[in-house]
């Protein structure tokens, strides 16, 4: 299938050609015609599938009149996304594809001053791309008017739920006209997501993208067994290989991200870090330096990394193993974007055995184990943590500490995830 047969106007097709895309990705060819027909849509799409263009292209088509003129000064479309980076990335997509049509867009997200955003909203924009929290603030100050909004996109709906944004999303949706077109994208389809679609959508069309774009199938993946104390040493060792040219490293916590960035920096490896404790300016600078190749390694936490779409990331390193298979898929999807190749390396400690098993079952394949050449693997230390971990159930440590207390604190996987989440 070619872009020409999707029903998009010549000005948009011209912009697509200029980006160098030759054919639509599966989610684009299956969803664009449906959206142009006016249908609501649920897109179950993982990262790296081209889903941003899948909703941006038909949305732009609908934002202007048949004769190519602006429809008026009111806001006609709203895109909600969970992170600031993702908002910026969607805006970049919009600007690329809207190069030859007159569409005004405003972005709204926290961590930066409100005034420029307020000014942009007041100037009359057709499209608002926003994170829910800041949008609620600005709506409360009367900066928006959604009475003419006819198109609503909820992007990364599963993340929105995870991050506790649902109450804000509900309030925002309740201020939109009932008669509108709603698209909902999510990496996974859960009961909660189904409930949301019933709440927000009207007989939606269901589009699930095929395996081809699943990074779990296309990215080369392997793992190293390590102890916690060996992780940074192994990372430095691997970075001795220049094939690791543009590397995204994931840590579980923001403190961990800072620590790793500092340690790599001390070894002369240009490194940046992004996480939610950094100001928006720091995050933007680190991301731009990474995109421009000024820094070789970017260390990130899951939430901060949601919107990262950097071409040419050669390697993703899970310094800390991801808590859920979905997180793993999102992380490794940062490399091997579109049609390029990528490598995902995971460090696995004894404590990660269960999440690893869950992941391998989820992907229906096992990840190749490797030993790093020239790196002295501390088998004894690994075995020691192994033994410690295998303390027989029912034996209570004398001081009342240890696994019993740990078990109580994380009585469910979601509590454990929330505890670790930043
Ligand atoms: P997304 O899933 O929207 O984050 O997109 C993943 C990557 O694929 C981005 O870098 C896009 O620029 C790229 N992309 C989107 N559509 C196409 C296409 N039809 N052909 C090639 N690359 C694409």
């Amino acid at each position: 299938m070619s872009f020409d047969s999707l029903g998009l106007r010549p000005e948009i097709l011209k912009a697509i050609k200029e980006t160098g895309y030759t054919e639509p990705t599966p989610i684009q060819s299956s969803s664009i015609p449906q959206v142009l027909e006016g249908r609501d849509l649920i897109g179950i799409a993982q990262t790296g599938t081209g889903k941003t263009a899948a909703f941006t292209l038909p949305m732009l088509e609908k934002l202007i009149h048949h004769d190519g003129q602006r429809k008026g000064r009111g806001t006609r479309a709203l895109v909600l996304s969970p992170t600031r980076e993702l908002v910026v990335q969607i805006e970049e997509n919009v600007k690329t594809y809207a190069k030859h049509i007159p569409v005004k867009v405003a972005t709204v997200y926290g961590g930066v001053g409100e005034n420029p955003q307020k000014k942009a909203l007041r100037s009359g924009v057709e499209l608002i791309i926003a994170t829910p929290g800041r949008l609620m603030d600005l709506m409360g100050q009367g900066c928006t008017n959604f009475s003419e909004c006819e198109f609503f996109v909820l992007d990364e709906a599963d993340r929105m739920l995870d991050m506790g944004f649902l109450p804000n999303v509900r309030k925002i949706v309740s201020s939109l006209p009932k008669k509108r077109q709603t698209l909902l994208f999510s990496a996974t389809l859960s009961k909660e997501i189904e409930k949301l679609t019933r709440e927000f959508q009207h007989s939606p069309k269901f589009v699930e993208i095929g395996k081809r774009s699943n990074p779990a199938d296309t990215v080369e993946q392997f793992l190293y067994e390590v102890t916690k104390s060996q992780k940074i040493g192994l990372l430095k060792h691997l970075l001795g290989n220049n094939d690791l040219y543009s590397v995204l490293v994931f840590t579980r916590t923001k403190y961990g991200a800072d620590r790793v960035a500092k340690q790599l920096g001390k070894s002369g490896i240009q490194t940046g870090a992004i996480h939610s404790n950094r100001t928006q300016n720091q995050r933007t600078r680190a991301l731009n330096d990474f995109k421009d190749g000024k820094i070789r390694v970017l260390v990130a936490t899951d939430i901060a990394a949601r919107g990262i779409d950097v071409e040419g990331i050669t390697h993703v390193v899970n310094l800390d193993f991801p808590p859920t298979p979905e997180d793993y898929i999102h992380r490794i999807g940062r490399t091997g974007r579109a049609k390029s190749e990528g490598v995902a390396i995971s460090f696995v400690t004894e404590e990660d055995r269960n999440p690893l098993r869950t992941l391998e079952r989820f992907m229906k394949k096992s990840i190749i184990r490797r030993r790093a050449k020239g790196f002295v693997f501390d088998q004894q230390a690994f075995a020691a943590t192994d033994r410690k971990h295998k303390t027989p159930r029912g034996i209570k440590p004398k001081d009342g500490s240890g696994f019993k207390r740990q078990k109580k604190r994380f009585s469910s996987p979601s509590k454990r995830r929330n505890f670790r989440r930043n």
Side-chain angles (χ1 to χ4, degrees), residues 3 21 23-25 28 47-53 89 309 337-338:
F3 276 110
Y21 302 162
E23 56 180 34
T25 64
Q28 289 162 4
T47 183
T49 54
K51 82 178 152 79
T52 316
Q89 202 168 287
D309 177 25
R337 309 285 284 168

Side-chain angles (χ1 to χ4, degrees), residues 136-186:
M136 280 293 292
D137 290 347
L138 298 191
M139 282 169 72
Q141 297 175 48
C143 304
T144 53
N145 175 0
F146 287 122
S147 60
E148 289 180 277
C149 184
E150 55 196 59
F151 200 90
F152 170 54
V153 180
L154 187 63
D155 190 24
E156 309 252 343
D158 48 348
R159 274 291 142 162
M160 295 270 197
L161 293 179
D162 280 358
M163 292 165 78
F165 289 163
L166 189 57
N168 275 345
V169 171
R170 278 214 173 93
K171 280 186 203 143
I172 293 167
V173 174
S174 70
S175 73
L176 302 178
K178 290 251 167 330
K179 195 172 171 299
R180 58 161 200 267
Q181 192 175 357
T182 303
L183 317 186
L184 185 148
F185 289 89
S186 176

Side-chain angles (χ1 to χ4, degrees), residues 255-273:
Y255 310 104
D258 278 339
R259 203 174 47 239
V260 173
K262 219 173 180 177
Q263 282 171 311
L264 294 183
K266 272 189 191 157
S267 304
I269 300 163
Q270 306 99 320
T271 308

Side-chain angles (χ1 to χ4, degrees), residues 79-228:
V79 179
L80 282 186
S81 205
T83 67
R84 314 160 194 182
E85 280 79 9
L86 213 35
V87 165
V88 170
Q89 202 168 287
I90 296 169
E91 184 199 22
E92 279 168 10
N93 270 254
V94 166
K95 289 199 163 148
T96 306
Y97 308 131
K99 228 192 269 172
H100 307 296
I101 51 172
V103 168
K104 279 182 93 173
V105 51
T107 52
V108 170
Y109 49 83
V112 292
E114 282 184 356
N115 284 340
Q117 296 179 357
K118 283 185 191 169
K119 208 169 144 206
L121 292 179
R122 291 207 180 101
S123 73
V125 287
E126 280 98 345
L127 167 62
I128 298 175
I129 310 166
T131 53
R134 173 62 66 89
L135 183 64
M136 280 293 292
D137 290 347
L138 298 191
M139 282 169 72
Q141 297 175 48
C143 304
T144 53
N145 175 0
F146 287 122
S147 60
E148 289 180 277
C149 184
E150 55 196 59
F151 200 90
F152 170 54
V153 180
L154 187 63
D155 190 24
E156 309 252 343
D158 48 348
R159 274 291 142 162
M160 295 270 197
L161 293 179
D162 280 358
M163 292 165 78
F165 289 163
L166 189 57
N168 275 345
V169 171
R170 278 214 173 93
K171 280 186 203 143
I172 293 167
V173 174
S174 70
S175 73
L176 302 178
K178 290 251 167 330
K179 195 172 171 299
R180 58 161 200 267
Q181 192 175 357
T182 303
L183 317 186
L184 185 148
F185 289 89
S186 176
T188 48
L189 186 65
S190 60
K191 284 222 163 65
E192 286 105 317
I193 296 289
E194 282 178 21
K195 201 168 149 232
L196 267 196
T197 76
R198 281 196 298 275
E199 220 179 301
F200 295 160
Q201 297 189 291
H202 180 68
S203 337
K205 223 30 216 171
F206 184 84
V207 174
E208 192 170 11
I209 41 93
K211 278 194 161 194
R212 200 191 84 165
S213 325
N214 186 342
D217 294 324
T218 54
V219 173
E220 188 192 348
Q221 305 163 62
F222 52 87
L223 61 82
Y224 293 101
E225 291 183 330
V226 285
T227 61
K228 272 187 193 156

Side-chain angles (χ1 to χ4, degrees), residues 232-249 260 263-265 267 269-271 296-299 314-315 317 319 345 347:
I232 190 76
L234 178 58
L235 179 61
K236 284 184 196 166
H237 176 84
L238 295 175
L239 287 168
N241 179 348
N242 286 336
D243 287 350
L244 280 82
Y245 182 73
S246 177
V247 185
L248 182 61
V249 175
V260 173
Q263 282 171 311
L264 294 183
S267 304
I269 300 163
Q270 306 99 320
T271 308
R296 181 176 166 208
V297 181
L298 186 66
V299 191
T314 56
H315 292 71
V317 177
L319 192 86
I345 302 169
F347 290 4

